[in-house]
Amino acid sequence: MKTMKVNLDRMAANSYTIHIGDGIMDRMGLILARSGVAQRYVIVTDDHVDALHGGRVQAALEKADLIVDRIAVAPGEAAKDIRTVLALAEKLTGLGADRHTALVALGGGVVGDLTGFVASIYMRGIPVIQVPTTLLAQVDSSIGGKTGVDIAAGKNLLGTFHQPKGVFIDIDFLRMLPEAQLRNGLAEVIKCAVIESPELLDDIEDAAAKGGLRETAFLERVITTACRIKKELVEIDERDRGLRRILNFGHTLGHAVEAASGYALSHGESVAIGMVASAAISERMHYLPTEDRKRIESVIRAVGLPDRIPGKLAPGEIMSRLASDKKKEGETIHFILLKKLGLPFVNGGVPEGIVRETIKRLQR
Amino acid sequence: MKTMKVNLDRMAANSYTIHIGDGIMDRMGLILARSGVAQRYVIVTDDHVDALHGGRVQAALEKADLIVDRIAVAPGEAAKDIRTVLALAEKLTGLGADRHTALVALGGGVVGDLTGFVASIYMRGIPVIQVPTTLLAQVDSSIGGKTGVDIAAGKNLLGTFHQPKGVFIDIDFLRMLPEAQLRNGLAEVIKCAVIESPELLDDIEDAAAKGGLRETAFLERVITTACRIKKELVEIDERDRGLRRILNFGHTLGHAVEAASGYALSHGESVAIGMVASAAISERMHYLPTEDRKRIESVIRAVGLPDRIPGKLAPGEIMSRLASDKKKEGETIHFILLKKLGLPFVNGGVPEGIVRETIKRLQR
């Protein structure tokens, strides 16, 4: 038998810059024009975001002499579908998009995940720029390169790691954001605070107390901190094989209640419940002081997120969703627990009885 | 505006080993078991290959105490379809395949491209092992990490670069290979000889003259040389941005006649015609000596491949297929031409008139 080695160990240049500010869309065009990322751009957005911001963002890019087209998909999670992927690919071909074209994902998490996925597989990969318009996407999904679409067998079951060539976070988009969506994003901000930055909890509590959760300076501060926390974890663990899993704090049970509710609970509400459950399990297993668990519940309530599981969700249904979560490895379900605020760890061995009991105690 | 850099410049460990030999399937299990690539394996193949080799390969892997499942898709290019991707993903989920599962692509180019694509997007990427069973896949598509499926707008329009974790080339598979498929592979071998290794042309001419094109020693020699040429180009240009394009020698016009024939011409026949056309254009543009052009035509005829374009293909149809080829960049069509045997170069400026005239002169 002959063997020969294909030598492909090399430096991969996947670094990129996150730009954060109020009203930065005008500057994005110049930055992209200077970057040489692509010769032309196609903005991918959804009908809602398109009506609010599509024309303005396209005009801002065109002002920098970029060639820009725009495609809008239907709004909502249903667009994270392989049919939308095919439709986008056909439209891109129709526009003559080639390997020197970049996509601009303008929208929330669905648009970001979908557009990132299309960019990663169109002609074996073209660049994508993330322009998140919701707080949730700004602090979470736009950074880190995770892309995906849903199939019958599971959410995000098909996807890639495809790092963007740049992220532009404009606080200005948040002025039009509905309250429920702001809370969705605040759930992820609270998660970042709990796992990495207890001082950020003070900031959120203060803002909630004085009704300042929409103030530009506050939003810019929490977005910057959340992005810093996320990007530091992504840098250490780009492919989500170890440390980055602590970003799933609240998500193990969160995903299970979200699915068990038939997605009547939003992602933020589900993560809020999941964080309360993880804190309760951490306390029950004698890791987390009671005062820390109470503080987590209190800040979640303060921003208007739920800290209890709706009574109508059957615990058995939640348990079976937990077992089928793709975070499962072999027969072990990973829970991210807390030793104290700012000190999370991966625990693979929470007894099923404790999980079940915690679910029951958190229901009302 | 605040900016922060996400630092993701790092060493990517994408190297892998190509194993070539006669009857190496038995050793593959031990090599994989030692490699730690995955905890379990799912063989993806097609019904034809499955009937010939599926059970034997699975048994060989199981003998090394690996956990192995097997999925067969329908044979033929039609399987390179997004519906097959979805069906495979659902089946993988049903088998409980997770991030610690690797796929084994057992088959020709279609199975390799399809399985590689599924591996690259299932749960954001799992490993794939390529086990090519046709000469074409052994010398070409199994190496280099290109994956893809076809959509209405074009072949391989959706795909990824996903390097395999290992390639196992068993000459034994070729004993059952139909003549037409052997010739398909020989077209790519001739291509490698023309662009990089004129000595290999002698070897092919000798074998053809004495009817030895199926001899194990000959096949092992040409496969090894072709793999070496391909892997050296892939090492220099993993993402097909420059030098690797010379592997497309014969493919620009080849793809166009293949499509224009409604795929009645095989890939190998089309590439053979494309190579003759590229050589003719190279001669016409005063790059290539006439004797070299004649020698290319002669070796192509010697192995039973066509050196002329079927008269029923309309030149206009071929020209319009050329213009829509995805190798196009902006308005320029890349042709790989020859300065002499072993010295190809990328020429973006062949006048349309010369292309059209060459097509007409090569028809009969």
Side-chain angles (χ1 to χ4, degrees):
Chain A
M1 183 170 73
K2 291 201 180 83
T3 64
M4 63 180 95
K5 190 174 170 201
V6 185
N7 299 291
L8 293 172
D9 293 354
R10 65 190 60 197
M11 282 304 292
N14 287 339
S15 299
Y16 54 97
T17 301
I18 305 167
H19 307 261
I20 303 167
D22 188 21
I24 63 170
M25 276 303 98
D26 294 333
R27 272 184 282 176
M28 178 169 75
L30 286 172
I31 293 168
L32 289 180
R34 272 200 303 261
S35 73
V37 162
Q39 290 164 359
R40 51 180 292 192
Y41 292 84
V42 179
I43 297 170
V44 179
T45 186
D46 70 33
D47 291 329
H48 283 169
V49 175
D50 196 37
L52 290 171
H53 312 295
R56 191 163 58 85
V57 172
Q58 179 164 356
L61 293 179
E62 285 171 343
K63 222 170 132 185
D65 284 335
L66 300 172
I67 302 164
V68 189
D69 287 292
R70 208 161 93 232
I71 303 174
V73 302
E77 179 85 19
K80 272 183 71 167
D81 182 277
I82 206 77
R83 279 174 300 235
T84 321
V85 171
L86 290 175
L88 281 172
E90 302 278 354
K91 277 185 187 162
L92 287 171
T93 319
L95 291 170
D98 63 15
R99 291 173 192 171
H100 300 277
T101 303
L103 304 187
V104 176
L106 176 71
V110 168
V111 165
D113 287 2
L114 170 71
T115 308
F117 184 58
V118 171
S120 71
I121 64 172
Y122 184 73
M123 291 189 175
R124 299 201 181 96
I126 60 174
V128 65
I129 306 291
Q130 292 285 351
V131 184
T133 58
T134 65
L135 182 59
L136 178 58
Q138 290 181 343
V139 297
D140 189 27
S141 56
S142 65
I143 302 155
K146 282 192 182 178
T147 83
V149 295
D150 305 333
I151 63 173
K155 288 184 75 170
N156 289 319
L157 215 106
L158 298 183
T160 51
F161 287 95
H162 190 60
Q163 298 295 339
K165 291 291 177 195
V167 181
F168 292 84
I169 297 176
D170 196 334
I171 315 290
D172 189 39
F173 290 129
L174 303 184
R175 300 213 160 82
M176 321 282 268
L177 198 69
E179 284 301 314
Q181 288 210 46
L182 189 79
R183 285 195 297 269
N184 251 333
L186 286 172
E188 293 289 344
V189 172
I190 291 170
K191 178 198 77 180
C192 286
V194 168
I195 62 172
E196 281 280 337
S197 174
E199 347 36 295
L200 184 59
L201 280 185
D202 301 336
D203 204 352
I204 301 166
E205 284 165 343
D206 286 353
K210 58 178 198 218
L213 291 172
R214 280 191 171 274
E215 275 178 21
T216 302
F218 166 75
L219 287 169
E220 190 162 340
R221 239 174 13 248
V222 297
I223 289 168
T224 303
T225 308
C227 286
R228 182 184 52 72
I229 292 168
K230 171 128 194 198
K231 80 116 192 167
E232 284 172 358
L233 287 167
V234 167
E235 284 173 352
I236 296 167
D237 179 23
E238 184 179 350
R239 292 290 173 120
D240 198 11
R241 290 197 177 123
L243 188 63
R244 186 166 168 179
R245 285 190 191 142
I246 66 170
L247 286 167
N248 285 325
F249 175 70
H251 283 62
T252 308
L253 200 112
H255 283 154
V257 297
E258 191 177 3
S261 78
Y263 299 91
L265 285 170
S266 73
H267 184 70
E269 289 167 338
S270 306
V271 168
I273 291 168
M275 290 193 285
V276 169
S278 285
I281 291 169
S282 303
E283 181 193 13
R284 171 71 199 275
M285 291 178 81
H286 306 294
Y287 293 116
L288 186 71
T290 302
E291 61 189 309
D292 284 357
R293 192 261 301 157
K294 284 187 174 165
R295 189 164 174 217
I296 292 169
E297 292 186 8
S298 146
V299 67
I300 282 171
R301 279 194 305 271
V303 302
L305 284 164
D307 65 343
R308 288 294 178 269
I309 300 172
K312 62 186 169 200
L313 293 189
E317 174 71 11
I318 299 172
M319 290 300 294
S320 76
R321 298 284 181 164
L322 267 180
S324 71
D325 191 285
K326 79 175 184 303
K327 273 160 207 76
K328 173 177 81 79
E329 296 196 355
E331 294 309 304
T332 311
I333 297 171
H334 288 279
F335 262 93
I336 318 298
L337 300 182
L338 295 168
K339 293 210 165 141
K340 61 175 188 172
L341 287 177
L343 200 61
F345 68 104
V346 179
N347 182 310
V350 177
E352 202 188 300
I354 290 186
V355 179
R356 192 178 292 273
E357 198 186 299
T358 304
I359 292 171
K360 281 184 186 152
R361 278 173 48 195
L362 286 179
Q363 283 199 308
R364 67 160 164 226
Chain B
M1 183 170 73
K2 290 199 181 84
T3 64
M4 63 180 95
K5 190 175 170 199
V6 184
N7 298 292
L8 293 171
D9 292 355
R10 67 190 59 200
M11 282 303 291
N14 287 339
S15 298
Y16 53 98
T17 301
I18 305 168
H19 308 261
I20 303 168
D22 188 22
I24 63 170
M25 277 302 99
D26 294 332
R27 273 183 282 177
M28 178 169 76
L30 286 172
I31 294 168
L32 289 180
R34 273 200 303 261
S35 72
V37 162
Q39 292 165 358
R40 51 181 291 192
Y41 292 83
V42 179
I43 296 170
V44 179
T45 187
D46 70 33
D47 292 328
H48 284 169
V49 176
D50 197 37
L52 290 170
H53 312 294
R56 192 165 58 86
V57 172
Q58 179 164 356
L61 293 180
E62 285 171 343
K63 222 170 132 186
D65 283 337
L66 298 173
I67 302 165
V68 188
D69 288 291
R70 206 161 95 232
I71 303 174
V73 302
E77 178 85 19
K80 272 184 71 166
D81 181 278
I82 206 77
R83 278 173 301 236
T84 321
V85 171
L86 289 175
L88 282 171
E90 302 278 354
K91 277 184 187 162
L92 288 171
T93 319
L95 291 170
D98 63 15
R99 291 174 192 170
H100 300 277
T101 303
L103 303 188
V104 176
L106 175 70
V110 168
V111 165
D113 286 3
L114 171 71
T115 308
F117 184 57
V118 170
S120 71
I121 65 172
Y122 184 72
M123 291 190 174
R124 298 202 182 94
I126 61 175
V128 66
I129 306 292
Q130 292 286 350
V131 184
T133 57
T134 65
L135 182 60
L136 179 58
Q138 290 182 343
V139 298
D140 189 27
S141 57
S142 65
I143 303 155
K146 282 192 183 180
T147 82
V149 295
D150 305 333
I151 63 173
K155 287 185 76 171
N156 289 319
L157 215 105
L158 298 183
T160 51
F161 287 95
H162 189 59
Q163 299 295 339
K165 291 293 177 195
V167 181
F168 292 84
I169 297 176
D170 196 335
I171 315 290
D172 189 39
F173 290 130
L174 303 184
R175 300 214 160 82
M176 320 284 267
L177 198 69
E179 283 301 314
Q181 288 209 46
L182 189 79
R183 285 195 296 269
N184 251 334
L186 286 172
E188 294 289 345
V189 172
I190 292 170
K191 178 198 78 180
C192 286
V194 169
I195 62 172
E196 281 280 334
S197 175
E199 330 63 277
L200 184 58
L201 279 185
D202 301 335
D203 204 352
I204 301 166
E205 285 165 342
D206 286 354
K210 57 179 198 216
L213 291 172
R214 280 190 171 273
E215 275 177 21
T216 302
F218 166 74
L219 287 170
E220 190 162 341
R221 240 176 9 250
V222 297
I223 290 168
T224 304
T225 308
C227 286
R228 182 184 52 71
I229 291 168
K230 172 128 193 196
K231 80 116 193 167
E232 284 172 359
L233 288 167
V234 167
E235 284 173 351
I236 296 168
D237 180 23
E238 183 180 350
R239 292 290 174 120
D240 198 11
R241 291 196 176 121
L243 190 60
R244 187 166 168 178
R245 284 191 191 141
I246 67 170
L247 287 167
N248 285 324
F249 175 69
H251 283 61
T252 308
L253 201 110
H255 284 155
V257 296
E258 191 176 4
S261 79
Y263 298 91
L265 286 170
S266 73
H267 183 70
E269 290 167 338
S270 306
V271 168
I273 291 168
M275 289 193 287
V276 170
S278 285
I281 292 170
S282 302
E283 180 193 15
R284 170 73 199 273
M285 291 178 82
H286 306 294
Y287 293 116
L288 187 71
T290 302
E291 60 189 311
D292 284 357
R293 191 259 303 156
K294 285 187 175 163
R295 187 161 177 219
I296 292 169
E297 291 185 9
S298 147
V299 68
I300 282 171
R301 278 193 306 270
V303 302
L305 284 164
D307 66 343
R308 288 294 178 269
I309 300 173
K312 62 186 171 201
L313 294 189
E317 175 70 10
I318 300 172
M319 290 301 291
S320 76
R321 298 284 180 165
L322 267 180
S324 71
D325 191 284
K326 76 178 186 304
K327 276 163 205 74
K328 172 177 81 81
E329 297 196 352
E331 294 310 304
T332 310
I333 297 171
H334 289 278
F335 261 94
I336 317 298
L337 300 183
L338 294 169
K339 292 210 168 147
K340 60 175 188 171
L341 287 176
L343 200 60
F345 68 104
V346 179
N347 182 308
V350 178
E352 203 187 299
I354 290 187
V355 179
R356 191 178 293 272
E357 199 186 299
T358 304
I359 291 171
K360 280 184 188 155
R361 278 174 45 195
L362 287 178
Q363 282 199 308
R364 67 160 160 229

